[in-house]
Amino acid sequence: MMNTKNTDQITIFKALADSVRLDIIEYLKHNDHEVSCGEVGKALNISKTSGSYHFKLLQEAGIITTRKEAREKYVSLNSKTFDKYVTNFYKNI
């Protein structure tokens, strides 16, 4: 039987197991402020549909936090998730 921590870790590592999502994480890490999903998509050449899918998985895993303002969504990394579940991984990106 899996406990909540194991389930959370599986969700996190599944979210990390994709090159596009790793690119998003790296981009966000190098910005010291929240950025719009559109900005990330444009910088990484990701379509809106693809971006929405990847942002949703990252948010569900607790890797990013999101804030919606009018029609725009802003994202930033949640380093607490890395500190709790992926020790030292965050520092090595």
Side-chain angles (χ1 to χ4, degrees):
M1 182 175 204
M2 276 201 251
N3 62 36
T4 304
K5 185 175 180 183
N6 287 345
T7 303
D8 291 346
Q9 284 179 319
I10 290 168
T11 301
I12 290 162
F13 282 103
K14 281 184 178 179
L16 294 172
D18 183 273
S19 63
V20 173
R21 291 191 288 274
L22 288 175
D23 289 344
I24 292 169
I25 292 166
E26 186 175 2
Y27 183 83
L28 293 174
K29 183 180 183 221
H30 290 99
N31 284 280
D32 60 351
H33 59 281
E34 67 182 5
V35 295
S36 71
C37 291
E39 177 185 331
V40 177
K42 190 176 284 186
L44 300 176
N45 199 26
I46 302 170
S47 71
K48 277 188 162 189
T49 304
S50 178
S52 293
Y53 170 75
H54 291 296
F55 289 125
K56 179 182 176 196
L57 290 177
L58 291 169
Q59 182 181 10
E60 287 174 352
I63 293 171
I64 63 170
T65 58
T66 61
R67 177 181 66 83
K68 192 166 184 170
E69 184 175 304
R71 296 181 68 184
E72 192 66 64
K73 186 183 277 189
Y74 294 89
V75 294
S76 59
L77 280 182
N78 180 3
S79 61
K80 292 178 185 177
T81 298
F82 286 93
D83 293 341
K84 184 173 181 180
Y85 294 104
V86 196
T87 308
N88 294 323
F89 180 84
Y90 179 74
K91 294 175 187 171
N92 293 319
I93 291 177

